[in-house]
Structures are given as structure tokens and as C-alpha cells.
Amino acid sequence: MTHERPETLDSLRRPLRDLRISVTDRCNLRCAYCMPREVFGQEFVFLRHADLLSFEEIVRIARQCVTLGVRKIRISGGEPLLRRGIERLVEMLARLHGEGGKPIELAMTSNGTLLAKKARALKDAGLARLNISLDALDEAVFRRMSGGRSSPAAVLEGIAAAQAAGFAPLKLNTVIKRGVNESEILPLLDHFRHSGIIVRFIEYMDVGESNGWRLDDVVTVREMLTRIDAEYPLQPIDARSPGEVAQRWEYVDGGGEIGVIASVTQPFCGDCGRLRLSTDGKLYPCLFAAEGVDLRAPLRGGENDLQLQRRIAAAWAARADRYSQRRHAASGSSVRKIEMSYIGG
Ligand code: SAM
Ligand code: SF4
Ligand code: SF4
């Protein structure tokens, strides 16, 4: 007889389900909405290597989270492919099993620019899913979005390598910023229709303190869908699982699936079961949390697995965050928000 573990619930009765791990706070791009180059320039001080969690430390924490109910782990950053030996971490995390011996679902989000060389090794190491970020196909627009770094050709090469390695269905993430890349919505869809690749458009969010976010810069999902539907009629598809952040749509003409993520205008805090682990070992129960719970000091101080597990469970139990639902009430607050590159998008 198998005994089901009780779920680990937060103060709003949301179960702990997903863990996002930032494996580096560094990136080779300088997307204006995430790590604008004026802020993340030559003088910016990134974490020292000794401050980063080692792979062994990450896996120990991840294992406790899995025991507490996590079913899905996403490796993120910064740019995760910049972390040396990332395939080894993938291999270690892919061995974790959840409730009833079920393997956890292991995913990664990458900007794709370094993927051409890495896709095969990631697949072989046990990575199940890959999301690749691509904000434009037009070279000039891409470079406006990426802070002048890299090119759409490099990302397309990474996408081709990921497909050849067998990642399917591949999902692309595109953040739309008004007046910068909204002109790329239809070209991206033209390019990826009938390819089996799912393009997902994301509303530009007010994460961190660096990007100078203004509501006027947000192109709403409703607006995006109206534009897309006028060119390519769409019909909705049912959500695969509760807590899924993307709304799924398909082309009426059979061209495939697309997604939209209305993080600003239709917040999904009610179902949010995501816990984030920063590069230096702090737990953040919300993308917009200001304070993290440090696990690195207790871990390095010799705490055992059960003690760590209790810390994680306590951090989750205390969780009352639902920033996106309260955005208007929260705007103007003096509490500093943490950068996305540090806690993993
Ligand atoms: N470097 C990797 C990448 O870009 O895919 C992984 C980390 S990045 C922080 C994860 C995701 O967060 C990317 O898809 C990125 O587009 C998204 N993102 C970053 N800042 C954002 C913002 N202000 N609003 C919406 N999405 C954002
Ligand atoms: Fe780097 Fe990803 Fe942030 Fe762009 S969104 S700056 S690629 S971490
Ligand atoms: Fe989850 Fe916080 Fe985002 Fe709401 S604002 S969906 S609680 S991460």
C-alpha cells in the first residue's frame, strides 16, 4: 500500500508544485526588460563563485522540495548555459523521483544563443523540456531588445539544434514591449506556423527595479490576440493542468498551437505553486518577493536533510504572496523587488 504524503500548503492553501532554480546571475544578453545594460554594465558586481550554490548543494535542496511535493523543476538564470558543466547538474536533477517513484519533470529556460553546442548534451543528460526566448526575427529589433548582444541567427541555430536533439514540443517565449517589438508578433508566427514549435507571447512585467517599467509599455494579451486573430483566426484549447500560466490557442486552419501569458492583466496567483531558489541559495516564494529565506548558511553549517526540509516547509507555509493580483495596491511601495536574473524567470 502506498501512503500519499499530505500536500505542503501555503497560507492561501496553494500546494508547493514547482521549483525554479537560478544557476547563475550572469547573462550574455542585456535585455532591456530584464538586465538593462545601463544598470548591468562593466561596474556591476556579480556574485563570486564561492557564493554560488554548488551542484551538490542545489540537488540537496531540490530533493527536499521534491519530498515536499515539487513535481517540476525548471533551471533558469541569468543564462543557465553560462554555468560551467550545466549538463552535470541536469543529470543529477534528472535522477530525482517524486511521489510514487514518478520522475520529476525537468525543464530549462534559455536564451538559446549558446544552445547549438549544448542541445544534444542536455538531452542526453535527461533534460525533458526546453523553452527558448526569442523576442524578434528582425536583426535590428532583436538587438534593441537584447541590449545590442547576439543575433536572431544564433538563436535560430540553437532552436534547430534543439529540434535535432529531439526536444518536442519546443516552446518559444517572446516578451512584447510596446513600440519596440510589437511589429514582430506576426512575423514570428509566420515563421513558426506549421513547425510544431509553440510561440508564447508574454506581457511585459514589472519585475525587479532596473527596467523602468511603465504600464504604457505593456501590450495586453487581449490586444495581441485581437491582432493575431485578424490575420490568423484562432480558437481556444483547454488548459493541460491547473496552474498552467499560458492560455493555449490554436490556428483554426490547422497551423498549430500558440500561447499567451497575461501576467499583468490576468494574474494567476490563485494557482501559483512556484518556489524560486536564487543563485546564492535563498528561497523566494514569489517573483516579486523582496526578502528570501537563506538556505546556504544552514546547509554549509551542517544541517541535515530533515532540518532543511523543515525550513523549506516553514517558508512555504508562511507564504501569502499574490503580488500580481495586488499590483495596483503594491505600486508605489518602497519595498525593493529582487531582479529576475537572480531568482530565475
Ligand atoms: N536567460 C534565459 C532566457 O532569457 O530565457 C532564462 C532567464 S530569463 C529571466 C527567463 C524568462 O523571463 C525569459 O523568457 C524572459 O523573456 C522572461 N522575462 C525577463 N524579464 C521579463 C519581464 N520584465 N517581463 C516578462 N518576462 C520577462
Ligand atoms: Fe539574459 Fe534571459 Fe534576462 Fe535576457 S531575459 S537578460 S537573456 S536572463
Ligand atoms: Fe506567483 Fe507571485 Fe507571480 Fe502571483 S505574482 S503568480 S504569487 S510568482
Side-chain angles (χ1 to χ4, degrees), residues 326-345:
R326 303 178 61 249
R327 177 168 274 113
H328 294 298
S331 68
S333 143
S334 59
V335 180
R336 284 188 71 76
K337 290 176 281 163
I338 212 75
E339 298 301 327
M340 196 161 178
S341 47
Y342 165 75
I343 53 171

Side-chain angles (χ1 to χ4, degrees), residues 20 26-29 31 33-35 75-80 109-112 131-135 173-175 202-207 211 213 263 340-342 344-345:
R20 301 209 168 179
R26 293 167 199 253
C27 188
N28 56 334
L29 304 190
C31 304
Y33 52 74
C34 177
M35 296 178 74
I75 302 172
S76 185
E79 173 47 40
T109 306
S110 163
N111 64 32
N131 290 5
I132 301 174
S133 305
L134 174 62
D135 293 333
N173 289 343
T174 304
V175 176
I202 307 175
E203 286 178 352
Y204 169 41
M205 282 188 289
D206 51 336
V207 269
N211 60 17
W213 184 86
S263 352
M340 196 161 178
S341 47
Y342 165 75

Side-chain angles (χ1 to χ4, degrees), residues 1-5 99-101:
M1 197 171 100
T2 56
H3 291 280
E4 283 202 7
R5 272 189 69 94
E99 182 97 55

